[in-house]
């Protein structure tokens, strides 16, 4: 059986990969700046080691453009019904275009009111939600982000896919330390991770996924539905995230999925981003010093048996980013072939990989 | 070994229990209205079946008053540094006094700005956080609430208590259906639940708790530290909740706990409540109709093997409330004796239990 390492056939420089992806989107009609934004969000996921949310998704965006379920050159519209809230209607624009707009709206509202909330209605493939909370943190604010989508995860006590693996991200700026960045699915295991383990011929951890019939399995070929983290806790979080992300944008996804209708299973996502202007509460330096001390306290704890080092949320991703910025981003043979085929068909220059 | 049911020696009417608890707090110097507020929050937890956060905590409040770590008649002070945010300094007032104030501040800010955030600094024993998000929902708003406290839960990869079992509550108002009310600890199992299983002579589920030495155990007598739900997900949530609840109120708990200092292990809590004025986003009736349809969709799913009925967050608690409102609140012999001893010492009238 092939190993995971054997799947990584090429390494590509982050800048080259960004240019390739931006070129593909621009050639499909996305505005230059928006194409660059999509490329940056996807390559960021690869840099951080979240390959399931990276450039391997490009062909899927293109399919959605072809099917009319996503609109390559859509320009999101923004309303600000009250001082601290914005609603970004994506009009089926690619996720990063709508989500960047939401992050910026949330920051602007927070600067004025102390906190700011932006809801996103009807986008597609947002990618890694931590990208957008990190964007808010770039303004030295804390952030919370949630995405809701089409059901693909079990709900405690129910059979089959019931709710989405809706991720939660929280970003908290530090001082001496790097950004504390939680970015987690409400599922025990991500669908992308199941696909990776399948490709690598490895078993799933027990208790992570169910078959299509609702039976527990560790065989990635049979695993159809990830299990919510903590049973009713994970599925409860996913449910309330759907109610807040989709309910507040008048675009519910779960009922249509289960009760049918023409849009029932069409891919679409809603989201929200909350920005918290730390400096409205206390001097920023006092806050970031407290974050630093808290991080120091956790990292200095005695490690559990079998643990070499205690990690803070975001730390693993940052190490991946440092390594991949210098050594290039590893891509599986299939992902690379799909990208280069698309590029060739659209007349986009394909960069030279830097190694295998 | 005694069973759990055998521990419940008396049943007391909710109104009687409320009057008893309010009488105890008032006799210890808490203002009448605040004493009634504390009693209502604690009895609500018992009604909802969250006995670990109910009236059994009364003796602990009294101990904290004696030790000067809580202040019976403290009046929280409120600042509103920007339009959408408030900071409630509890001055060591009992949790419900400070948290009710925060919920009301969050609602007032949300009415003006679309969303409102209230941070709570330096309170004690907030009780069940779902009580306060429900209070916000009473204003037909959605709410998010978080409490941070002294470390009592493991952190993924570390030995011993590292972070708190910091709970998250999300309340979403519905139409035909009752309030959707998620109220979860970031731990697999609550400390109060471990104590209940110990009293009942029952084993813990595997993977829920560690011994003081960091070894997994199912023996409630040896279980010292609950495990975070989903490993790094639960402990990551707890960490960022501490950074937001305690960091924004300039009152960090985790570093002092681990690095020492006079206040290191003193009981204290910080919190925040976010109120979301649904009607600022869309007509309330449209939102609650979407919530109803989503609840209908989940409840109509085929149940998994061994599941009789699929439950929505808050549903189990509401059933407990209905049953206990009519049949009375069951209290263990020890909890009842502690309450009645306190009442006798303070000259507070003890109500007649309605049965055993």
């Amino acid at each position: 059986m092939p190993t995971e390492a054997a799947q990584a056939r090429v390494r590509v420089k982050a800048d080259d990969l960004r240019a390739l992806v931006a070129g593909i989107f621009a050639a499909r009609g996305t505005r230059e700046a928006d194409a660059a934004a999509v490329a940056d969000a996807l390559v960021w996921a690869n840099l951080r080691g979240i390959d399931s949310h990276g450039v391997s998704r490009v062909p899927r965006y293109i399919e959605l453009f072809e099917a009319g379920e996503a609109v390559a050159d859509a320009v999101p519209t923004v309303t600000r019904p009250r001082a601290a809230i914005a609603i970004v209607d994506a009009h089926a624009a690619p996720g990063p275009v709508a989500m960047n707009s939401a992050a910026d709206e949330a920051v602007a509202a927070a600067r004025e009111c102390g906190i700011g909330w932006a809801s996103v209605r009807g986008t597609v493939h947002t990618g890694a939600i931590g990208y957008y909370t990190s964007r808010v943190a770039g303004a030295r604010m804390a952030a919370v982000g949630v995405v809701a989508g089409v059901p693909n995860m079990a709900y405690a006590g129910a059979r089959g896919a019931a709710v989405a693996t809706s991720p939660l991200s929280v970003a908290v700026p530090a001082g001496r330390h790097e950004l504390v960045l939680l970015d987690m699915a409400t599922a025990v295991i991500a669908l992308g991770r199941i696909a990776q383990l399948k490709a690598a011929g490895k078993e799933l951890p027990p208790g992570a996924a169910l078959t299509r019939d609702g039976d527990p399995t560790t065989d990635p070929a049979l695993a159809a539905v990830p299990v919510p983290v903590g049973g009713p806790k994970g599925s409860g979080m996913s449910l309330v995230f759907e109610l807040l992300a989709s309910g507040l944008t008048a675009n519910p996804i779960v009922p249509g999925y289960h009760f049918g209708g023409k849009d029932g299973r069409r891919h679409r996502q809603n989201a929200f981003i909350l920005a918290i202007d730390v400096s409205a509460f206390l001097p920023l330096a006092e806050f970031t010093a407290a974050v630093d001390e808290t991080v120091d306290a956790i990292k200095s704890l005695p490690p559990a048996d079998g643990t070499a080092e205690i990690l803070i949320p975001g730390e693993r991703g940052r190490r991946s980013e440092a390594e991949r910025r210098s050594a290039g981003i590893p891509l599986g043979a299939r992902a690379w072939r799909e990208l280069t085929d698309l590029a060739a068909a659209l007349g986009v220059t394909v960069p030279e990989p830097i190694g295998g």
Side-chain angles (χ1 to χ4, degrees), chain A:
Chain A
M1 270 186 265
T3 66
E4 268 184 282
Q7 296 293 308
R9 292 293 160 78
V10 299
R11 280 192 177 252
V12 186
K13 273 190 193 163
D15 286 346
D16 289 346
L17 195 53
R18 234 180 255 113
L20 173 64
V21 171
I24 290 171
F25 276 84
R28 270 306 274 103
T30 303
R31 280 145 223 268
E32 292 279 338
D34 289 345
V38 174
D40 195 60
L42 296 179
V43 171
W44 184 87
N46 287 111
L47 282 169
R48 302 285 295 191
I50 319 167
D51 293 316
S52 56
H53 290 59
V55 300
S56 64
R57 295 289 184 102
V58 171
R60 180 73 180 125
Y61 282 97
I62 306 300
E63 279 173 24
L64 291 169
F65 292 156
E66 308 287 346
E69 296 182 2
V71 177
D73 61 350
V75 177
T77 50
V78 178
T79 52
R80 242 339 241 286
R82 303 268 186 92
I85 63 172
I87 301 170
V88 177
D89 194 329
H91 303 297
V97 176
M99 294 295 287
N100 281 346
S101 167
D104 296 346
E105 289 293 328
V107 166
R111 240 186 259 292
E112 183 184 337
C113 302
I115 54 168
W117 172 293
S119 285
V120 174
R121 178 179 206 275
T123 186
V124 299
H125 277 318
T126 49
I129 177 81
Y131 179 80
Y132 311 104
T133 55
S134 299
R135 185 179 175 104
V136 173
R140 304 304 280 155
M141 294 189 184
V144 178
V146 159
V147 176
V150 175
N152 56 4
M153 181 177 83
Y155 182 96
R159 181 180 292 273
V163 288
T165 55
S166 311
L168 165 70
S169 176
V170 179
V172 184
R176 279 180 286 111
H177 288 293
E178 304 270 357
L179 182 67
V180 178
L181 180 59
L182 181 73
D183 189 354
M184 55 172 266
T186 47
V188 170
I189 193 166
L191 279 168
R193 181 69 188 147
I194 293 176
Q196 283 175 345
L197 290 172
K198 184 177 170 188
K202 291 187 181 170
E203 289 220 323
L204 306 183
L210 306 176
T211 65
R212 212 157 283 287
D213 292 331
D215 299 317
T217 184
T218 58
D219 180 348
L222 298 176
V225 184
V227 166
V229 65
K233 294 184 182 189
S235 59
M237 281 196 282
S238 176
L239 179 65
V240 296
F241 291 167
E242 157 73 3
L243 295 175
L244 292 181
S246 303
L248 290 172
T249 54
N251 194 26
I253 296 174
V254 164
Y257 179 87
H258 293 297
F259 291 140
K262 75 173 172 57
D263 282 350
R265 304 201 164 198
R266 182 169 59 78
H267 170 78
R268 61 203 189 280
Q269 297 186 336
N270 302 302
F272 63 80
I273 295 174
L274 172 71
I276 303 161
D277 186 0
V278 171
S279 67
F281 290 80
L282 76 174
L284 180 63
E286 187 179 348
F287 178 83
T288 56
V291 174
D292 284 344
E293 280 174 36
T294 305
V295 168
D296 288 338
I298 297 295
K299 289 199 68 80
S300 66
L301 291 172
D305 289 343
T307 300
E309 184 189 3
I310 297 165
L311 293 176
I312 301 298
E315 205 167 358
R316 194 187 302 274
R318 201 155 43 242
R319 288 182 190 175
S320 164
E321 189 172 344
E323 190 269 328
R324 292 182 173 193
R325 269 196 198 287
S326 73
I329 291 169
L331 291 176
R334 181 177 155 191
W336 181 241
R337 192 181 58 244
E338 285 178 347
L339 278 178
T340 51
D341 285 356
L342 267 174
L346 292 163
V348 174
T349 309
V350 174
E352 202 60 44
I354 55 174

